[in-house]
Amino acid sequence: MVTASAPGKVYLFGEHAVVYGEPAVPCAIDLRARVTAEERSDDRLVVHARDLKLDGFTVEYGEGSPDVDAEDALVRAAVGYVDESVAQVRDAAGRPGAGLEITVESDVPLGAGLGSSAAVSVAAIEAGTRALGTELDREEVADRAYRVEHAVQDGQASRSDTFCSTMGGAVRVEGDDTRRLDAPDLPFVVGYDGGAGDTGELVAKVRALREDYGFAADTVAAIGDLVREGERALAEGDVEELGRLMNFNHGLLSAVGVSSRSLDGMVWAARGAGAHGAKLTGAGGGGCIVALDPTDATERALSLTPQCERAFRAELDAEGVRVE
Amino acid sequence: MVTASAPGKVYLFGEHAVVYGEPAVPCAIDLRARVTAEERSDDRLVVHARDLKLDGFTVEYGEGSPDVDAEDALVRAAVGYVDESVAQVRDAAGRPGAGLEITVESDVPLGAGLGSSAAVSVAAIEAGTRALGTELDREEVADRAYRVEHAVQDGQASRSDTFCSTMGGAVRVEGDDTRRLDAPDLPFVVGYDGGAGDTGELVAKVRALREDYGFAADTVAAIGDLVREGERALAEGDVEELGRLMNFNHGLLSAVGVSSRSLDGMVWAARGAGAHGAKLTGAGGGGCIVALDPTDATERALSLTPQCERAFRAELDAEGVRVE
């Protein structure tokens, strides 16, 4: 029995545009998904999920399609990630018929823009391969987790979430080019509206806008240029400049239709409290915003904002995936 | 004694970007500023202002600087427009030393993005020149009103507000190229937060972003391309498409930092009520949003929105400046 964990992340810059080859800068944070894997004596796959900010559920796979004891779309999505991760595990271990008992626990709320699916996939691949007696290097874990997202998200994934969750820290992803970045101490504050966006639908919405309108394609390209500017600010440790760029990035994401009333409400609460900047993180439509504020003011303001269900400070995670 | 009136306007598309030579499409609406002018027997200028959503005030000019009996920045701004308008009137009439008694009344809230300054300037030029026995054609009224805004706003004005207020209807302005557009019946709903933005400051903010960042210049250019798309939708009478483009335009305006918490709150209230689209109108920072909704739902939703002080339906004004 092996337990591995992997961190969630916030996007400092570049979500959505990264799908079209622009660079993005996600940062791993100290919220983790933990996956425990144990080889079974039969060829079955049994998945237990707990604490996914949902009721737990159990899925049994045998011949045919899985029998899930919960109907929620998010649960089915989570099961999809575990299912594809196990396929990667079996392939990596050269054990196509291996049975596994998988337990998933997560501090990362599902579908809220904090990279829950990448964290689960990365931890599942790390734990699953070790349970079957194989050890992968981090590059392969990241790559196989990317293939999981690619399969589940109909080919609309980027390497950013899975690379960030595997490596930890601040990273830069542009197409297949992935690297770690030096980053100063970043005073992240997260506001969570308790909801979730439909990543597939949101990605499709941006794609349609980009195909229909030249100015929408230009807006996506402008996000890429903003990210390049943000890399400079990150290298210089210029937190105020990072905040200004986050504000601009949020506006461009609003333009392509992926913000929401509650996300905007939280963003304005953070700015009103004196945060250097604030933006939605992840696919949008609901979920989380991230702000930069070294003081307690933003966390306090968010906790008093009706649209905010939970506000918390997040630390940059430097570790990435680890065996517990 | 002559009274003239001129309409306020909403921006369907293109505010801010129009300052940099991009096209904009403002639409005159049925809120008016009325200016009464009467020649005096001396060479003095006396200005009475009423109902500017502020207490009335009176200004007397003689030798030296005007003596204003109110201190509010908006009042001083309004006086600036009247002052420059009278300079244009005296010049147009060839009566540099003519004395005038001017009374300004307005339904258009000051500084709220509904073109109050253009409406006052246009009506003042029309009334003032007639009071001095001169009649200008509309093109000259529009041009002289533009020169008023140009002088008061430190050279940062566009022809769009003054041309729209003079001609009425939907118009298109791109640099010095000004024309009227055919427009369908547009179901405008306006939400007003009771506040005002500082146009000069907001224009300067966009200018600084545009100079500092290539992606900000691209964002302004994207607004221009969006306006060209909007012209097509307007010509086709495609109100749903106009709404989608308004939503996108609002996001781009948010990116360049000219939206506000209350403007975003009203925009989301309108969208939540089923409006085809909604955006801030004018310089931003506070003031008004405009939505498109043929039903009563948006007006009702806005009237229940805490950030909205006043919600009302506005009709397209087809007349422009007129003598009362």
Coordinates of all heavy atoms in Angstrom, one line a residue, chain B residues 204-270:
Chain B
A204 N -6.1 59.1 -18.9 CA -4.7 59.1 -18.6 C -4.2 57.7 -18.2 O -3.2 57.2 -18.6 CB -4.3 60.1 -17.6
K205 N -5.1 57.0 -17.5 CA -4.7 55.6 -17.1 C -4.6 54.7 -18.3 O -3.7 53.9 -18.3 CB -5.9 55.1 -16.1 CG -5.7 53.8 -15.5 CD -6.8 53.4 -14.6 CE -6.6 52.2 -13.8 NZ -7.8 52.0 -12.8
V206 N -5.6 54.8 -19.2 CA -5.5 53.9 -20.4 C -4.3 54.3 -21.2 O -3.6 53.4 -21.7 CB -6.8 54.1 -21.2 CG1 -6.7 53.3 -22.5 CG2 -8.0 53.6 -20.4
R207 N -4.0 55.6 -21.3 CA -2.9 56.1 -22.1 C -1.6 55.5 -21.5 O -0.7 55.0 -22.2 CB -2.8 57.6 -22.1 CG -1.6 58.2 -22.9 CD -1.7 59.7 -22.9 NE -2.9 60.2 -23.6 CZ -3.1 60.3 -24.9 NH1 -2.1 60.0 -25.7 NH2 -4.2 60.7 -25.4
A208 N -1.5 55.5 -20.2 CA -0.2 55.0 -19.5 C -0.1 53.5 -19.8 O 1.0 53.0 -20.1 CB -0.3 55.3 -18.0
L209 N -1.2 52.7 -19.6 CA -1.1 51.3 -19.9 C -0.7 51.0 -21.3 O 0.1 50.1 -21.6 CB -2.5 50.7 -19.6 CG -2.9 50.4 -18.2 CD1 -4.4 50.0 -18.1 CD2 -2.0 49.3 -17.6
R210 N -1.3 51.8 -22.2 CA -1.0 51.6 -23.6 C 0.5 51.9 -24.0 O 1.1 51.3 -24.8 CB -1.9 52.6 -24.4 CG -2.3 52.1 -25.8 CD -3.3 53.0 -26.4 NE -3.2 52.9 -27.8 CZ -2.4 53.7 -28.5 NH1 -1.7 54.6 -27.9 NH2 -2.4 53.6 -29.8
E211 N 1.0 52.9 -23.3 CA 2.4 53.2 -23.5 C 3.4 52.2 -22.9 O 4.4 51.9 -23.4 CB 2.7 54.6 -23.0 CG 2.2 55.7 -23.9 CD 2.2 57.1 -23.3 OE1 2.7 57.3 -22.2 OE2 1.7 58.0 -24.0
D212 N 2.9 51.7 -21.7 CA 3.8 50.7 -21.0 C 3.8 49.3 -21.6 O 4.8 48.6 -21.4 CB 3.4 50.6 -19.5 CG 3.7 51.9 -18.7 OD1 4.5 52.7 -19.3 OD2 3.3 52.0 -17.6
Y213 N 2.7 48.9 -22.1 CA 2.6 47.5 -22.5 C 2.1 47.3 -23.9 O 1.0 47.8 -24.2 CB 1.6 46.8 -21.5 CG 1.9 46.9 -20.1 CD1 1.1 47.5 -19.2 CD2 3.1 46.3 -19.6 CE1 1.3 47.6 -17.8 CE2 3.4 46.3 -18.2 CZ 2.5 47.0 -17.3 OH 2.8 47.1 -16.0
G214 N 2.8 46.5 -24.7 CA 2.3 46.2 -26.0 C 0.9 45.5 -26.0 O 0.1 45.8 -26.8
F215 N 0.7 44.6 -25.0 CA -0.6 43.9 -25.0 C -1.7 44.9 -24.6 O -2.9 44.6 -25.0 CB -0.5 42.7 -24.0 CG -0.3 43.1 -22.6 CD1 -1.2 43.6 -21.7 CD2 1.0 43.0 -22.0 CE1 -1.0 44.0 -20.4 CE2 1.3 43.3 -20.7 CZ 0.3 43.8 -19.9
A216 N -1.4 46.0 -24.0 CA -2.5 47.0 -23.7 C -2.9 47.7 -25.0 O -4.0 48.0 -25.3 CB -2.1 47.9 -22.6
A217 N -1.8 48.1 -25.8 CA -2.1 48.7 -27.1 C -2.9 47.7 -27.9 O -3.9 48.1 -28.7 CB -0.8 49.0 -27.8
D218 N -2.6 46.4 -27.9 CA -3.3 45.4 -28.6 C -4.8 45.3 -28.1 O -5.7 45.0 -28.9 CB -2.7 44.0 -28.5 CG -1.3 44.0 -29.2 OD1 -1.0 44.9 -30.0 OD2 -0.5 43.1 -28.9
T219 N -5.0 45.5 -26.9 CA -6.3 45.4 -26.3 C -7.2 46.6 -26.8 O -8.3 46.4 -27.2 CB -6.3 45.5 -24.7 OG1 -5.5 44.3 -24.3 CG2 -7.6 45.4 -24.1
V220 N -6.6 47.8 -26.9 CA -7.3 48.9 -27.5 C -7.6 48.7 -28.9 O -8.7 49.0 -29.4 CB -6.4 50.2 -27.3 CG1 -7.0 51.4 -28.0 CG2 -6.3 50.5 -25.8
A221 N -6.6 48.1 -29.7 CA -6.9 47.8 -31.1 C -8.0 46.7 -31.2 O -8.8 46.8 -32.2 CB -5.6 47.3 -31.7
A222 N -8.0 45.8 -30.3 CA -9.1 44.8 -30.3 C -10.4 45.4 -30.2 O -11.4 45.0 -30.8 CB -8.8 43.7 -29.2
I223 N -10.5 46.4 -29.3 CA -11.8 47.2 -29.2 C -12.2 47.7 -30.6 O -13.4 47.6 -31.0 CB -11.7 48.3 -28.2 CG1 -11.5 47.7 -26.7 CG2 -13.0 49.2 -28.2 CD1 -11.3 48.7 -25.6
G224 N -11.2 48.3 -31.3 CA -11.5 48.8 -32.6 C -12.1 47.8 -33.6 O -13.1 48.0 -34.3
D225 N -11.5 46.6 -33.6 CA -11.9 45.5 -34.4 C -13.3 45.0 -34.0 O -14.2 44.7 -34.8 CB -10.9 44.3 -34.4 CG -9.6 44.7 -35.1 OD1 -9.6 45.5 -35.9 OD2 -8.6 44.0 -34.7
L226 N -13.6 45.0 -32.7 CA -14.9 44.7 -32.2 C -15.9 45.7 -32.7 O -17.0 45.3 -33.1 CB -14.8 44.6 -30.7 CG -16.1 44.2 -29.9 CD1 -15.7 43.5 -28.6 CD2 -17.0 45.4 -29.6
V227 N -15.6 46.9 -32.7 CA -16.5 47.9 -33.2 C -16.9 47.7 -34.6 O -18.1 47.8 -35.0 CB -15.9 49.4 -33.0 CG1 -16.9 50.4 -33.6 CG2 -15.7 49.7 -31.5
R228 N -15.9 47.4 -35.5 CA -16.2 47.1 -36.9 C -17.2 45.9 -37.0 O -18.1 45.9 -37.8 CB -14.9 46.8 -37.6 CG -14.1 48.2 -37.9 CD -12.8 47.9 -38.7 NE -11.7 47.7 -37.7 CZ -11.0 48.7 -37.2 NH1 -11.2 50.0 -37.6 NH2 -10.0 48.5 -36.4
E229 N -17.0 44.9 -36.2 CA -17.9 43.8 -36.1 C -19.3 44.2 -35.7 O -20.3 43.8 -36.2 CB -17.3 42.7 -35.2 CG -17.9 41.3 -35.3 CD -17.4 40.6 -36.5 OE1 -16.2 40.8 -36.9 OE2 -18.2 39.9 -37.1
G230 N -19.3 45.1 -34.7 CA -20.5 45.7 -34.2 C -21.3 46.4 -35.2 O -22.6 46.4 -35.3
E231 N -20.6 47.1 -36.1 CA -21.3 47.9 -37.1 C -22.1 47.0 -38.0 O -23.2 47.3 -38.5 CB -20.3 48.6 -38.0 CG -19.7 49.9 -37.4 CD -18.6 50.4 -38.3 OE1 -18.9 50.8 -39.4 OE2 -17.4 50.4 -37.8
R232 N -21.5 45.8 -38.4 CA -22.2 44.8 -39.2 C -23.4 44.3 -38.5 O -24.5 44.3 -39.1 CB -21.2 43.6 -39.5 CG -20.3 43.9 -40.7 CD -19.6 42.6 -41.0 NE -18.5 42.3 -40.1 CZ -17.3 42.8 -40.2 NH1 -17.0 43.7 -41.2 NH2 -16.3 42.5 -39.4
A233 N -23.3 44.0 -37.2 CA -24.5 43.5 -36.5 C -25.6 44.6 -36.4 O -26.8 44.3 -36.5 CB -24.0 43.1 -35.0
L234 N -25.1 45.9 -36.3 CA -26.1 47.0 -36.2 C -26.8 47.1 -37.6 O -28.1 47.2 -37.6 CB -25.4 48.3 -35.9 CG -26.2 49.5 -35.4 CD1 -26.9 49.2 -34.1 CD2 -25.3 50.7 -35.3
A235 N -26.1 47.0 -38.7 CA -26.7 47.1 -40.0 C -27.7 45.9 -40.2 O -28.7 46.1 -40.9 CB -25.6 47.1 -41.1
E236 N -27.4 44.8 -39.6 CA -28.3 43.6 -39.8 C -29.4 43.6 -38.8 O -30.2 42.7 -38.8 CB -27.4 42.3 -39.7 CG -26.5 42.1 -40.9 CD -25.4 41.1 -40.6 OE1 -25.5 40.4 -39.5 OE2 -24.5 41.0 -41.5
G237 N -29.3 44.5 -37.8 CA -30.4 44.6 -36.8 C -30.3 43.3 -35.9 O -31.3 42.9 -35.3
D238 N -29.1 42.8 -35.7 CA -28.9 41.5 -34.9 C -28.6 41.9 -33.5 O -27.5 42.1 -33.1 CB -27.8 40.7 -35.5 CG -27.6 39.4 -34.9 OD1 -28.2 39.2 -33.8 OD2 -27.0 38.5 -35.4
V239 N -29.7 42.1 -32.7 CA -29.6 42.6 -31.3 C -28.9 41.6 -30.4 O -28.2 42.0 -29.5 CB -31.0 42.9 -30.8 CG1 -30.9 43.5 -29.4 CG2 -31.7 44.0 -31.7
E240 N -29.1 40.3 -30.7 CA -28.4 39.3 -29.8 C -26.9 39.4 -30.0 O -26.1 39.3 -29.1 CB -28.9 37.9 -30.1 CG -30.3 37.7 -29.6 CD -30.7 36.2 -29.8 OE1 -29.9 35.3 -30.0 OE2 -31.9 36.0 -29.8
E241 N -26.5 39.6 -31.3 CA -25.0 39.7 -31.6 C -24.5 41.0 -31.0 O -23.4 41.0 -30.4 CB -24.8 39.7 -33.1 CG -23.4 39.9 -33.6 CD -22.4 38.8 -33.3 OE1 -22.8 37.8 -32.6 OE2 -21.3 38.9 -33.7
L242 N -25.3 42.1 -31.1 CA -24.9 43.3 -30.4 C -24.6 43.1 -28.9 O -23.6 43.6 -28.4 CB -25.9 44.4 -30.6 CG -26.1 44.9 -32.0 CD1 -27.3 45.9 -32.1 CD2 -24.8 45.7 -32.5
G243 N -25.5 42.3 -28.3 CA -25.3 42.0 -26.9 C -24.0 41.3 -26.6 O -23.3 41.6 -25.7
R244 N -23.8 40.2 -27.4 CA -22.5 39.5 -27.2 C -21.3 40.3 -27.3 O -20.4 40.2 -26.5 CB -22.5 38.3 -28.2 CG -23.3 37.1 -27.9 CD -22.9 35.9 -28.8 NE -23.4 36.1 -30.2 CZ -24.6 35.8 -30.7 NH1 -25.5 35.3 -29.9 NH2 -24.9 36.1 -31.9
L245 N -21.4 41.2 -28.3 CA -20.2 42.1 -28.5 C -20.1 43.1 -27.4 O -19.0 43.5 -27.0 CB -20.3 42.8 -29.9 CG -20.2 41.9 -31.1 CD1 -20.6 42.6 -32.4 CD2 -18.8 41.3 -31.2
M246 N -21.2 43.6 -26.9 CA -21.2 44.5 -25.7 C -20.5 43.8 -24.5 O -19.7 44.4 -23.8 CB -22.6 45.0 -25.3 CG -23.2 46.0 -26.3 SD -25.0 46.2 -26.0 CE -24.9 47.2 -24.5
N247 N -20.9 42.6 -24.3 CA -20.2 41.8 -23.2 C -18.7 41.8 -23.3 O -18.0 42.0 -22.4 CB -20.8 40.4 -23.1 CG -22.2 40.4 -22.5 OD1 -22.6 41.3 -21.8 ND2 -22.9 39.3 -22.8
F248 N -18.3 41.5 -24.5 CA -16.8 41.3 -24.8 C -16.2 42.7 -24.6 O -15.1 42.8 -24.0 CB -16.6 40.8 -26.2 CG -15.3 40.2 -26.5 CD1 -15.2 38.8 -26.7 CD2 -14.1 40.9 -26.5 CE1 -14.0 38.2 -26.9 CE2 -12.9 40.3 -26.7 CZ -12.8 38.9 -26.9
N249 N -16.8 43.8 -25.2 CA -16.3 45.1 -25.1 C -16.1 45.5 -23.6 O -15.1 46.1 -23.2 CB -17.2 46.1 -25.8 CG -16.6 47.5 -26.1 OD1 -17.1 48.2 -26.9 ND2 -15.5 47.8 -25.4
H250 N -17.1 45.1 -22.8 CA -17.0 45.4 -21.3 C -15.8 44.8 -20.7 O -15.1 45.4 -19.9 CB -18.3 45.0 -20.6 CG -18.2 45.3 -19.1 ND1 -18.3 46.6 -18.6 CD2 -17.9 44.6 -18.0 CE1 -18.2 46.6 -17.3 NE2 -17.9 45.4 -16.9
G251 N -15.5 43.5 -21.1 CA -14.3 42.8 -20.6 C -13.0 43.5 -21.0 O -12.1 43.7 -20.2
L252 N -13.0 44.0 -22.2 CA -11.8 44.7 -22.7 C -11.6 46.0 -21.9 O -10.5 46.4 -21.6 CB -11.8 44.9 -24.2 CG -11.8 43.6 -25.0 CD1 -11.9 44.0 -26.5 CD2 -10.5 42.8 -24.8
L253 N -12.7 46.7 -21.6 CA -12.7 47.9 -20.8 C -12.2 47.6 -19.4 O -11.5 48.4 -18.8 CB -14.0 48.6 -20.8 CG -14.4 49.3 -22.2 CD1 -15.9 49.7 -22.2 CD2 -13.5 50.5 -22.5
S254 N -12.7 46.5 -18.9 CA -12.2 46.1 -17.5 C -10.7 45.8 -17.5 O -10.0 46.2 -16.6 CB -12.9 44.8 -17.1 OG -14.3 44.9 -17.1
A255 N -10.2 45.2 -18.6 CA -8.8 44.9 -18.7 C -8.0 46.2 -18.6 O -7.0 46.3 -17.9 CB -8.5 44.2 -20.0
V256 N -8.4 47.3 -19.3 CA -7.7 48.5 -19.2 C -8.0 49.4 -18.0 O -7.6 50.5 -17.9 CB -7.8 49.4 -20.5 CG1 -7.2 48.6 -21.7 CG2 -9.3 49.7 -20.8
G257 N -8.7 48.7 -17.1 CA -8.9 49.3 -15.7 C -9.9 50.4 -15.5 O -9.8 51.2 -14.6
V258 N -10.9 50.5 -16.4 CA -11.9 51.6 -16.3 C -13.2 51.1 -15.8 O -14.2 51.9 -15.7 CB -12.0 52.4 -17.6 CG1 -10.7 52.9 -18.0 CG2 -12.6 51.5 -18.7
S259 N -13.4 49.8 -15.4 CA -14.6 49.4 -14.8 C -14.5 49.7 -13.3 O -13.5 50.2 -12.8 CB -15.0 48.0 -15.1 OG -16.3 47.7 -14.7
S260 N -15.6 49.3 -12.5 CA -15.6 49.5 -11.1 C -16.5 48.4 -10.5 O -17.2 47.7 -11.2 CB -16.1 50.9 -10.7 OG -17.5 50.9 -10.9
R261 N -16.4 48.3 -9.2 CA -17.2 47.3 -8.5 C -18.7 47.5 -8.8 O -19.4 46.5 -9.1 CB -16.9 47.4 -7.0 CG -17.4 46.3 -6.2 CD -17.0 46.5 -4.7 NE -17.1 45.3 -4.0 CZ -16.5 45.1 -2.8 NH1 -15.7 46.0 -2.3 NH2 -16.7 43.9 -2.2
S262 N -19.2 48.7 -8.7 CA -20.6 48.9 -8.9 C -21.0 48.7 -10.4 O -22.1 48.2 -10.7 CB -21.0 50.3 -8.5 OG -20.3 51.3 -9.1
L263 N -20.1 49.2 -11.3 CA -20.4 49.0 -12.7 C -20.5 47.5 -13.0 O -21.4 47.0 -13.7 CB -19.4 49.6 -13.6 CG -19.4 51.2 -13.6 CD1 -18.2 51.7 -14.4 CD2 -20.7 51.8 -14.1
D264 N -19.5 46.7 -12.5 CA -19.6 45.2 -12.7 C -20.8 44.6 -12.1 O -21.4 43.7 -12.7 CB -18.3 44.6 -12.2 CG -17.1 44.6 -13.2 OD1 -17.3 45.3 -14.2 OD2 -16.1 44.0 -12.9
G265 N -21.1 45.1 -10.9 CA -22.3 44.6 -10.2 C -23.6 44.8 -11.1 O -24.4 43.9 -11.2
M266 N -23.7 46.0 -11.7 CA -24.9 46.2 -12.5 C -24.8 45.4 -13.8 O -25.9 45.0 -14.3 CB -25.0 47.7 -12.8 CG -25.3 48.6 -11.5 SD -25.7 50.3 -11.9 CE -24.1 51.0 -12.5
V267 N -23.7 45.3 -14.4 CA -23.5 44.5 -15.6 C -24.0 43.0 -15.4 O -24.7 42.5 -16.1 CB -22.1 44.6 -16.1 CG1 -21.7 43.4 -17.0 CG2 -21.8 45.9 -16.9
W268 N -23.5 42.5 -14.2 CA -23.9 41.1 -13.9 C -25.4 41.0 -13.6 O -26.1 40.0 -14.0 CB -23.1 40.5 -12.8 CG -21.7 40.1 -13.2 CD1 -20.5 40.7 -12.9 CD2 -21.4 39.0 -14.1 NE1 -19.5 40.0 -13.6 CE2 -20.0 39.0 -14.3 CE3 -22.2 38.1 -14.8 CZ2 -19.4 38.1 -15.1 CZ3 -21.5 37.1 -15.6 CH2 -20.2 37.2 -15.8
A269 N -26.0 42.0 -13.0 CA -27.4 42.0 -12.7 C -28.2 42.0 -14.0 O -29.2 41.2 -14.2 CB -27.8 43.2 -11.9
A270 N -27.7 42.8 -15.0 CA -28.4 42.8 -16.3 C -28.3 41.5 -17.0 O -29.3 40.9 -17.5 CB -27.8 43.9 -17.1

